[in-house]
Amino acid sequence: MQAVLSSDYSFAQFRFLERLLLVHGRWSYLRMCKFLRYFFYKNFTFTFVHFWYAFFCGFSAQTVYDEWFITLYNLVYTALPVLGMSLFDQDVNDTWSFQHPNLYVPGQLNQYFSKTAFFKCALHSVYSSVVLFFIPYAAMYDTVRDDGRDIADYQSFALLAQTCLVITVCIQLCLDMSYWTAVNQFFVWGSLAMYFVVTFSMYSNGTHINFPASFPFIGTARNSLNQPNVWLTILLTSILCVLPVVAYRFLLIQLRPTINDKVGTLTNHTGFCS
Amino acid sequence: MKEELETANRPDNTAFTQQRLPAWQPMLSAGIVIPGFVLIGLAFIGIGVALFIASQNITVLEKDYTGVEITSDCYKCSNPSDKNCTCKLDFSLSNLFEGPVFFYYGLSNYFQSQRSYGVSKDDYQLSGDLDYFKTPISACSPYQYDANQNPIVPCGSLANSMFNDTFKLYQIVNGTKKLVPFDGKGIAWWTDYNIKYRNPSVTPLKNAFNGTVKPPFWSKPAYELDTSDPSNNGFVNQDFLVWMRRAALPDFRKLYRRITEGDYASGLPAGNYSLEIGYNYPVLSFGGRKKVVFSNVSWMGGKNQFLGIAYLVVGSLCVVMSTVMLIVYAKFKFPEDD
């Protein structure tokens, strides 16, 4: 009893060891590595954009995003989706894990999260931050709304940059997740919807009238998100951030398929898992 | 008895606890990725063409009037000690400049995006709260109190640096100057004018400003910004609102007026024009430049070639990538037996 209480895992019969290692141990390693890679990616991207903006704000540490967005980004907009991925993700289901024990090898070789993987993640973040800053910058340079009024102001630019970021990291998460349960769907689309709901309510008339200094972004969402060129910029930015990843992964599956890819294809050929 | 004890500790056998939830497992298969890339590529090329054509149809006329070259008429005004200098900018249009024409002033190398400059304003004052007329917030310093400890209203460097050049446009018709009418209504955002900035509810407005002084750079106090129109006076003055909406980038343009009335409702006809500038705003000390911009707009806003070209480039790259992926898939398709 004491051994059970002081151990990480305990099981009653030796035959359970196979399941513990090949199913739960493997899934745990996979989830942990995916979680870490994605978490570093979304936060590095979020931060590197400020590095690029420094050149355009006199190096005065002006944030690209609204302060409320910075507070709520890790708390509300991206917390639940990544939690869902790290709780429910499976690359192959438990039956196939038993049938193909060599799926366990990547964990032994530390392939999913090593210095190389971290470096690739950082490189991916740098690329994403370049796209996430310079596409909105070039699209908003010296342009105006369709009724001639201002759209290249700080608040509209901040809103554009943060919307691009949230949508891009959401699509990146969708690419990383390989097991979409109903809970995951709810978390991902719910967080994205939450972003728009919170943004519109923070930038509404009522919040400004009651707290003028805390909510100075009033009217920004309404005035810039009804412009076609803003939405076209958001579309271009997200697609440009995400498609190279899709192409790279597809080519990797074709040219250097791993055991997971082969087993995954077998699984899919016999129908979707349920 | 023993069986009950055993089953009491057994974990639940539900789909949730045993991780058997029904799920969708998408895979990056060739049947999805390659057609997907082709579709996205073609869609982007289509959007790029539409954007590029829309941008090409917008006319823009930009004229720098800082007065750096000795040949420009505004060179005489670039001496900062010369107050109330006026200079002229002559230009001619060879074709009709289609309306409605928007008239902007532009500044370069001007960092409205600098952090301490941008936070230097008092939102409570600007929403008409009279308590903050007596004690402006400390973020406004050094434009919080003047040398005699009188509160400055509106406080802060953002308001103090308000652009104060004035422009009058004349068309030269048969040797005489004909004034082109400007429309200054509604150049700022509706939400700025109606909700964000409010005058204190004191009539006459002048009384609300008792005991306060104007910002040092301003020539007139806030309650005299437009004495002819009370709905354009004080904090809701359209030019003030346009200036307070600070720009994100160091090169920016701000709407000054629209040309939509009278003979110029359909645009500026071809001919000679003369712009008279009341040159008050000094930018040469920090290497800034001033310019005027005439532009018309379309559904995508002002002239911006970048978006159209970017869509075309990305669309073409997608189509190229899909061909590459198709070739790789056809040649290197991995055998499906393990």
Side-chain angles (χ1 to χ4, degrees), chain B residues 224-269:
Chain B
E224 281 175 19
L225 281 173
D226 188 352
T227 41
S228 62
D229 184 1
S231 64
N232 195 30
N233 201 6
F235 296 146
V236 298
N237 175 270
Q238 295 278 342
D239 290 316
F240 178 68
L241 294 177
V242 166
W243 181 256
M244 291 300 279
R245 180 146 287 287
R246 66 173 177 135
L249 303 169
D251 299 337
F252 58 88
R253 52 173 78 151
K254 288 187 181 291
L255 184 56
Y256 183 73
R257 294 287 184 267
R258 282 193 288 261
I259 303 171
T260 50
E261 295 164 349
D263 296 333
Y264 304 95
S266 56
L268 290 175

Side-chain angles (χ1 to χ4, degrees), chain B:
Chain B
M1 258 322 224
K2 218 175 166 185
E3 265 192 43
E4 269 181 40
L5 278 171
E6 270 181 46
T7 49
N9 284 331
R10 180 177 274 217
D12 305 331
N13 193 12
T14 63
F16 182 75
T17 50
Q18 294 300 321
Q19 302 189 55
R20 284 193 311 261
L21 284 169
W24 175 47
Q25 284 191 291
M27 272 211 75
L28 282 180
S29 65
I32 295 176
V33 172
I34 297 177
F37 265 67
V38 173
L39 272 166
I40 291 178
L42 292 175
F44 270 32
I45 290 177
I47 296 175
V49 167
L51 282 168
F52 189 72
I53 292 177
S55 178
Q56 291 289 80
N57 286 337
I58 298 175
T59 342
V60 168
L61 177 66
E62 272 186 30
K63 292 266 179 225
D64 184 303
Y65 71 92
T66 329
V68 176
E69 313 85 32
I70 203 160
T71 49
S72 119
D73 191 42
C74 294
Y75 179 73
K76 61 181 194 290
C77 295
S78 54
N79 187 348
S81 56
D82 200 359
K83 304 270 185 230
N84 296 330
C85 179
T86 53
C87 60
K88 249 179 349 138
L89 196 65
D90 293 323
F91 62 94
S92 64
L93 295 174
S94 49
N95 300 320
L96 169 72
F97 198 114
E98 276 183 38
V101 179
F102 292 86
F103 179 64
Y104 301 88
Y105 60 87
L107 289 162
S108 301
N109 202 31
Y110 195 111
F111 287 81
Q112 270 204 322
S113 49
Q114 218 256 15
R115 193 190 59 82
S116 37
Y117 171 86
V119 302
S120 174
K121 63 182 167 111
D122 189 341
D123 290 300
Y124 293 107
Q125 260 187 16
L126 296 168
S127 59
D129 190 337
L130 284 166
D131 293 332
Y132 288 85
F133 274 45
K134 301 189 193 67
T135 47
I137 60 172
S138 58
C140 279
S141 68
Y143 300 101
Q144 189 188 4
Y145 295 101
D146 71 348
N148 300 325
Q149 293 306 308
N150 294 320
I152 298 179
V153 175
C155 74
S157 16
L158 187 49
N160 181 55
S161 56
M162 181 167 147
F163 190 76
N164 54 5
D165 281 1
T166 53
F167 305 96
K168 280 201 186 59
L169 182 64
Y170 296 97
Q171 185 186 7
I172 317 285
V173 176
N174 296 334
T176 54
K177 290 206 295 194
K178 182 178 166 199
L179 182 67
V180 177
F182 278 160
D183 175 20
K185 288 216 176 2
I187 53 176
W189 286 8
W190 185 92
T191 43
D192 281 356
Y193 180 70
N194 285 301
I195 298 164
K196 188 169 181 186
Y197 295 87
R198 303 266 78 210
N199 278 331
S201 44
V202 171
T203 41
L205 188 58
K206 190 171 183 296
N207 293 348
F209 289 76
N210 282 340
T212 68
V213 293
K214 64 174 179 55
F217 182 65
W218 286 23
S219 54
K220 294 184 283 200
Y223 53 85
E224 281 175 19
L225 281 173
D226 188 352
T227 41
S228 62
D229 184 1
S231 64
N232 195 30
N233 201 6
F235 296 146
V236 298
N237 175 270
Q238 295 278 342
D239 290 316
F240 178 68
L241 294 177
V242 166
W243 181 256
M244 291 300 279
R245 180 146 287 287
R246 66 173 177 135
L249 303 169
D251 299 337
F252 58 88
R253 52 173 78 151
K254 288 187 181 291
L255 184 56
Y256 183 73
R257 294 287 184 267
R258 282 193 288 261
I259 303 171
T260 50
E261 295 164 349
D263 296 333
Y264 304 95
S266 56
L268 290 175
N272 293 325
Y273 291 86
S274 173
L275 183 69
E276 271 186 22
I277 303 167
Y279 193 117
N280 301 315
Y281 202 70
V283 297
L284 280 168
S285 56
F286 53 86
R289 294 286 180 269
K290 297 192 284 187
K291 60 182 187 230
V292 288
V293 182
F294 292 88
S295 172
N296 43 28
V297 295
S298 72
W299 62 269
M300 59 162 275
K303 193 180 188 78
N304 189 297
Q305 309 272 45
F306 169 77
L307 215 50
I309 294 175
Y311 265 90
L312 283 170
V313 168
V314 173
S316 329
L317 279 175
C318 280
V319 173
V320 166
M321 264 323 282
S322 71
T323 339
V324 168
M325 290 195 294
L326 188 62
I327 294 171
V328 168
Y329 175 67
K331 283 193 165 240
F332 294 101
K333 193 154 75 145
F334 63 89
E336 276 166 23
D337 48 297
D338 202 350

Side-chain angles (χ1 to χ4, degrees), chain A residues 10-85:
Chain A
S10 60
F11 46 94
Q13 301 176 22
F14 268 113
R15 64 185 172 94
F16 293 155
L17 180 65
E18 196 184 1
R19 190 176 175 85
L20 180 71
L21 280 181
L22 294 181
V23 177
H24 296 289
R26 204 176 59 75
W27 282 350
S28 174
Y29 177 68
L30 177 78
R31 286 167 188 167
M32 201 59 71
C33 293
K34 273 197 186 175
F35 167 80
L36 280 173
R37 276 211 310 255
Y38 177 75
F39 208 89
F40 279 123
Y41 165 73
K42 79 172 166 76
N43 280 313
F44 280 172
T45 309
F46 173 80
T47 313
F48 282 157
V49 177
H50 290 99
F51 171 75
W52 301 118
Y53 190 52
F55 294 98
F56 299 94
C57 68
F59 299 97
S60 60
Q62 172 68 58
T63 53
V64 179
Y65 310 120
D66 177 16
E67 282 162 10
W68 284 106
F69 176 80
I70 294 175
T71 310
L72 294 173
Y73 177 67
N74 278 320
L75 207 58
V76 174
Y77 303 145
T78 55
L80 283 179
V82 76
L83 191 72
M85 178 175 80

